[in-house]
Amino acid sequence: MHFTPKSVMVTGGAGFIGSNFINCFMPLNPGCRVINLDALTYAGNLENLRSVDHNPDYRFIKGDICDAALVAKLLADEKVDAVVHFAAESHVDRSISGPEIFVKTNVLGTQVLLEESRKHWQSGAVADFRYLQISTDEVYGSLGETGYFTEETPLAPNSPYSASKTGADLLVRAYHETYGMPTLNTRCSNNYGPFHFPEKLIPLLISNIINRKALPVYGDGLNVRDWLHVRDHAIAVETVLKGGKSGGVYNIGGNNEWKNIDIVHLVCDLMDESLGRKKGESRGLIAFVKDRPGHDRRYAIDAAKLKRDLGWEPSYTFESGIRETIDWYLANQEWVAHVTSGEYQQYYETQYGESK
Ligand code: NAD
Ligand code: TYD
């Protein structure tokens, strides 16, 4: 059944994927309200949303998804008919050094959103309603040299991050099974593209190469990830929101597997070209470092269901996507400086004032 949302609450819309989603979704869906609920943690940056800031259909609310009263009020006041839940603690390394906030935001926060969504949906305040949980392929654990994750692959998370995302996915399943709530669940591979916080591999490489800093490669560098351009992910999410089957789980992937060390070499070589540096210069910055504990060896996604049922496939080639991403970072070094120094948080104050 095709669903046309009229008022979407996006959580975590100031983060990497959430902001790209809003920037893509709003021009494609004129007249649809978008309410962005984001706590503006270190990873949330309103500078990512300049293209929609002054759109009368866009509203930003600084707030925590764990705040049930706030979530309930927004759902009711804005007659929300779709929740697209991106908000999360998202970095595996941070989850290893401090897992607690991951459980709080990713598990308990999801439960609050589900519960308030259930009440709102059951109240009959809106004719139709959908709740979409954004998840990750990391819930499936790790693959050997062959094979792919399908939607039927058993959940076997290995890091505190992926365990918290799995907990959230299981709650989503339970709300569908128990209350019949119209839920959707997407599980995506590694994203890359503009507005990616430079603690994650690709933006970290770009930023460190610009500054001639060491490029840390964990372990032997042979771990494999599937990389998808963030705007392809955004379109996939919109596709699932509008056409997905209630209770459905959809894998999203780029069919684009790379060993970490090959990505590092590629980014080094492209950056040498872009920066006019001697060929091979940036590779000299590579530093093999101690492996991440519990480091998943390989992720690979089978996204055939999404193609078969809803016709989605990625539009970016990796070659064009990675070049475009490098160009974006080179043209937006001020953004990188702001997010790494924390200065971006002042943008909120100037745009919205301290009290909002
Ligand atoms: P991100 O860390 O860039 O952004 C997270 C956003 O959530 C930030 O804006 C932050 O301020 C907000 N947030 C955090 N805690 C909050 C809270 N308690 N209340 C309200 N807002 C809060 O993350 P991302 O990379 O954009 O990831 C978005 C979602 O996609 C996450 O759910 C993540 O698990 C999932 N995902 C990410 C990737 C990836 O490659 N980055 C891949 C697959 C799935
Ligand atoms: P990351 O971007 O953190 O995403 P995830 O862990 O969610 O897949 O890391 C991608 C891969 O790159 C992962 O195998 C860990 C590795 N990695 C490094 O080798 N060095 C780094 O500095 C970072 C951040 C990641």
Side-chain angles (χ1 to χ4, degrees), residues 244-257:
K245 191 163 158 273
S246 177
V249 176
Y250 295 88
N251 281 351
I252 306 173
N255 200 15
N256 178 41
E257 284 180 55

Side-chain angles (χ1 to χ4, degrees), residues 95-114:
S95 83
I96 294 168
S97 49
E100 193 178 339
I101 185 70
F102 283 73
V103 175
K104 186 163 179 289
T105 299
N106 299 359
V107 185
L108 298 178
T110 297
Q111 194 275 328
V112 169
L113 278 180
L114 283 165

Side-chain angles (χ1 to χ4, degrees), residues 91 138 190 199-201 204 216-218 225 260 292 295:
H91 190 38
E138 303 191 27
N190 287 58
E199 65 183 351
K200 309 279 170 64
L201 181 67
L204 181 88
V217 176
Y218 299 166
R225 298 292 183 264
N260 289 341
R292 171 189 280 172
H295 195 176

Side-chain angles (χ1 to χ4, degrees), residues 10-20 36-46 48 60-67 85-91 101 104-106 109 133-138 161 164-165 186-192 195-197 199-200 226-228 230 233 252 344-345:
V10 176
T11 70
F16 165 47
I17 306 177
S19 62
N20 276 286
N36 176 10
L37 173 62
D38 195 298
L40 296 184
T41 67
Y42 79 96
N45 181 4
L46 290 177
N48 302 2
F60 173 72
I61 302 289
K62 182 178 179 183
D64 193 324
I65 54 165
C66 298
D67 181 345
H85 176 32
F86 292 95
E89 287 296 328
S90 68
H91 190 38
I101 185 70
K104 186 163 179 289
T105 299
N106 299 359
Q133 177 77 13
I134 306 295
S135 189
T136 163
D137 58 359
E138 303 191 27
Y161 163 68
S164 68
K165 293 296 291 183
T186 57
R187 296 185 180 140
C188 188
S189 56
N190 287 58
N191 286 217
Y192 70 96
F195 304 120
H196 204 182
F197 198 87
E199 65 183 351
K200 309 279 170 64
D226 171 60
W227 293 94
L228 178 71
V230 65
H233 186 187
I252 306 173
Y344 65 92
Q345 307 221 330

